[in-house]
Amino acid sequence: MSGLVFDFNNAMAGMVSHGFEIQQSDEAMVAKAHSAMQEGQMGFRELPRGQEDILDDIIDTARDVSERFDNFVVLGIGGSALGPIAVYHALGQQSDINFFVEDNIDPERLNRTFGGLDLQKTMFNVVTKSGKTSETMAQMMTVAGMLEKAGLKLSDHMIATTDKENGNLALIARKEGLKTFILPSNVGGRFSELSPVGLLPAAVCGIDIRGLLQGAAHMDEVCSREQNNPAAMFALLHVMGMQRDMNISVMMPYADSLKFMSDWYAQIWAESLGKRVDNDGNEVFVGQTPVGALGVTDQHSQVQLYTEGPFDKIVTFLKVDKFASELKIPKAFEYVQDIAFLCGKSFSELMAAEQSATEYALCVADRPNISITLSEVDAFSIGALLYFFEMATAYAGEMMGINTFDQPGVEEGKLATFALMGKQGFEEKKAQMDALSKKQDKWIMQ
Ligand code: PA5
């Protein structure tokens, strides 16, 4: 079991000149957000402790799947895919099952994945909260066609994760007799990783899902505190940053296992906080662009910009104290004095030194940065980390006075896709889109 350590020192004005000085008005903003968080009915907050009745079913189903199948393929996108990808890369890579998340509709990729599967040995998990996302529906229809052609029964090879009542998947699941896990109606896609959306794929990959939830429950206690609340502090610093045009939030894990946490974070931060209007309907056009970077790899591509470019970023490092395995650098080429210092050191030592060096480089360049340390990457710490960012996002949304949980911009795109693909009832939308097109040939070059 491992908790997380949050270090906000390097974001403070005393440490870096572009850092933050927390005023009374900021403290008042935190207090207001805290009361709203206490009162608000946020479905995702029930997940750490409120799923005891379904955990055995998830674990039993996962065991059955991993015993009978070689491949487990998640069909989903956005909040239905990024969490499973992040958690698999953090914890599940040692499992025997071949794990795929098809979160795109690139025909080349789909042909490659689907073409390489022995369908007899494949279980598909269709995940969609709304049950009507075109991408996921198209994938599911394709898989249904493939199974039919192979003479296999849909219900033997497909599990649904969706809303209880709404959407096409709930209907299909009932009609076809699919094993179904329910995504609570008050939990949105990007806040759903700790629901069956993420728990079933994780369990199939042999991940300790009770450990994930215990980590989340621990973090719920930590992030419910009135004082010393790291989620509120992370949110406050980023909101203060936005007020000063620091419109970029960089997430930089120093561990390959956490690389996809940045993608998951990017979605929750961008989709939750990027909003046109505030809660009173005023146009505010707020948000902060999340950027993923990987330590140490991106020290050699992006860090130059972070240290000398515009003062528009807050960098968050994810650090790991103890890697799951170690590798020592042997004594070699002893006649080259210049590299002798590496002899006998470990790669985790080198990794830690490089992270500290980057932190130092940012500080001397007066760039605010935050560190979150995991003592090790285990189910508990990953559950805690996911939940921490969910809470930080919710806090930030409260401080910004916006609706954290909707995504009207995404919905607009979904509806436009329906119109372009000829869905019945969307003829007017299509006409509106055609009328809007004012493209001129002079701006098209070949
Ligand atoms: O967070 C969200 O709500 C979105 O990113 C959705 O997860 C994404 O659009 C997919 O939607 P659905 O799960 O309804 O297919």
Side-chain angles (χ1 to χ4, degrees):
M1 167 171 146
S2 50
L4 307 178
V5 178
F6 303 88
D7 186 347
F8 296 106
N9 269 292
N10 294 341
M12 299 302 168
M15 219 60 172
V16 292
S17 67
H18 281 77
F20 302 98
E21 204 155 343
I22 297 169
Q23 311 287 342
Q24 266 183 357
S25 56
D26 303 314
E27 280 165 4
M29 180 164 71
V30 173
K32 196 166 160 225
H34 184 72
S35 324
M37 292 282 293
Q38 299 303 101
E39 287 155 22
Q41 300 286 312
M42 296 180 180
F44 80 91
R45 298 196 66 181
E46 290 159 26
L47 298 176
R49 298 181 192 85
Q51 299 184 94
E52 219 25 72
D53 54 330
I54 56 163
L55 286 189
D56 284 342
D57 189 12
I58 293 177
I59 291 168
D60 291 347
T61 305
R63 189 178 305 119
D64 179 56
V65 167
S66 47
E67 278 169 11
R68 291 196 301 119
F69 297 92
D70 292 343
N71 310 308
F72 187 76
V73 184
V74 174
L75 306 177
I77 196 163
S80 300
L82 290 161
I85 295 171
V87 170
Y88 168 73
H89 281 276
L91 298 167
Q93 297 198 58
Q94 311 305 327
S95 65
D96 289 337
I97 199 128
N98 300 312
F99 182 68
F100 304 84
V101 181
E102 290 307 301
D103 66 342
N104 205 348
I105 48 169
D106 178 333
E108 282 178 37
R109 169 172 159 184
L110 290 174
N111 276 324
R112 205 176 317 122
T113 308
F114 292 162
L117 296 172
D118 173 358
L119 289 180
Q120 186 80 46
K121 301 295 284 175
T122 303
M123 176 60 89
F124 295 89
N125 181 199
V126 189
V127 187
T128 166
K129 156 100 181 163
S130 63
K132 60 180 184 201
T133 303
S134 303
E135 295 89 330
T136 309
M137 291 294 108
Q139 291 177 341
M140 181 178 69
M141 290 156 85
T142 307
V143 165
M146 284 163 26
L147 291 170
E148 191 181 1
K149 202 166 156 205
L152 297 167
K153 201 169 162 211
L154 191 69
S155 58
D156 290 340
H157 291 269
M158 191 174 276
I159 298 171
T161 307
T162 192
D163 191 82
K164 193 167 185 208
E165 306 282 344
N166 296 325
N168 307 309
L169 183 53
L171 174 76
I172 293 168
R174 274 196 303 275
K175 192 142 172 32
E176 303 288 339
L178 303 188
K179 170 79 185 164
T180 303
F181 288 99
I182 301 301
L183 174 53
S185 54
N186 58 355
V187 176
R190 57 194 174 275
F191 286 83
S192 69
E193 174 50 21
L194 295 166
S195 79
V197 167
L199 295 180
L200 177 65
V204 168
C205 294
I207 293 165
D208 168 17
I209 60 171
R210 287 187 198 275
L212 281 175
L213 294 175
Q214 281 159 10
H218 163 72
M219 199 42 65
D220 186 56
E221 277 172 33
V222 171
C223 297
S224 299
R225 293 183 204 140
E226 206 168 335
Q227 302 293 331
N228 287 328
N229 179 330
M233 180 58 80
F234 184 93
L236 173 66
L237 295 173
H238 283 79
V239 170
M240 289 173 79
M242 285 181 235
Q243 290 165 353
R244 282 168 35 185
D245 288 337
M246 287 185 173
N247 285 324
I248 299 174
S249 166
V250 178
M251 187 57 56
M252 190 165 189
Y254 270 73
D256 270 33
S257 60
L258 301 180
K259 180 175 179 192
F260 292 93
M261 278 290 160
S262 303
D263 289 1
W264 177 82
Y265 169 78
Q267 188 211 12
I268 201 163
W269 202 248
E271 207 167 296
S272 303
L273 305 181
K275 296 288 152 73
R276 182 176 64 86
V277 292
D278 65 13
N279 288 330
D280 297 324
N282 305 310
E283 286 202 324
V284 284
F285 301 107
V286 287
Q288 197 171 41
T289 304
V291 172
L294 180 66
V296 301
T297 310
D298 288 319
Q299 283 179 207
H300 301 270
S301 73
Q302 299 184 34
V303 167
Q304 169 61 31
L305 171 72
Y306 300 167
T307 50
E308 295 198 349
F311 289 88
D312 57 358
K313 300 171 195 68
I314 303 174
V315 176
T316 300
F317 295 112
L318 299 181
K319 310 196 288 192
V320 177
D321 269 347
K322 191 167 169 283
F323 284 82
S325 73
E326 186 52 284
L327 184 62
K328 269 215 151 157
I329 307 165
K331 285 193 176 149
F333 311 111
E334 285 177 84
Y335 51 87
V336 184
Q337 190 55 36
D338 207 40
I339 55 172
F341 70 97
L342 293 169
C343 293
K345 303 272 173 39
S346 68
F347 274 88
S348 63
E349 218 177 331
L350 181 58
M351 185 73 121
E354 299 230 19
Q355 189 283 323
S356 298
T358 305
E359 201 174 308
Y360 167 78
L362 287 179
C363 287
V364 293
D366 285 322
R367 315 291 164 139
N369 61 91
I370 294 166
S371 289
I372 303 174
T373 306
L374 290 71
S375 51
E376 57 189 308
V377 177
D378 59 10
F380 188 93
S381 65
I382 292 300
L385 190 65
L386 291 164
Y387 195 81
F388 166 76
F389 284 125
E390 290 175 359
M391 286 294 280
T393 305
Y395 264 105
E398 289 297 339
M399 292 175 195
M400 293 160 73
I402 52 150
N403 184 343
T404 312
F405 302 101
D406 67 357
Q407 54 283 322
V410 178
E411 303 303 338
E412 183 64 42
K414 286 187 180 183
L415 300 182
T417 302
F418 292 157
L420 289 172
M421 293 296 284
K423 184 169 176 171
Q424 216 182 359
F426 288 80
E427 296 77 9
E428 203 180 315
K429 180 94 198 155
K430 174 81 169 66
Q432 279 168 11
M433 289 172 75
D434 289 344
L436 208 72
S437 176
K438 296 186 194 103
K439 284 197 174 167
Q440 297 178 38
D441 283 346
K442 69 174 177 174
W443 298 122
I444 297 175
M445 300 171 199
Q446 296 191 16

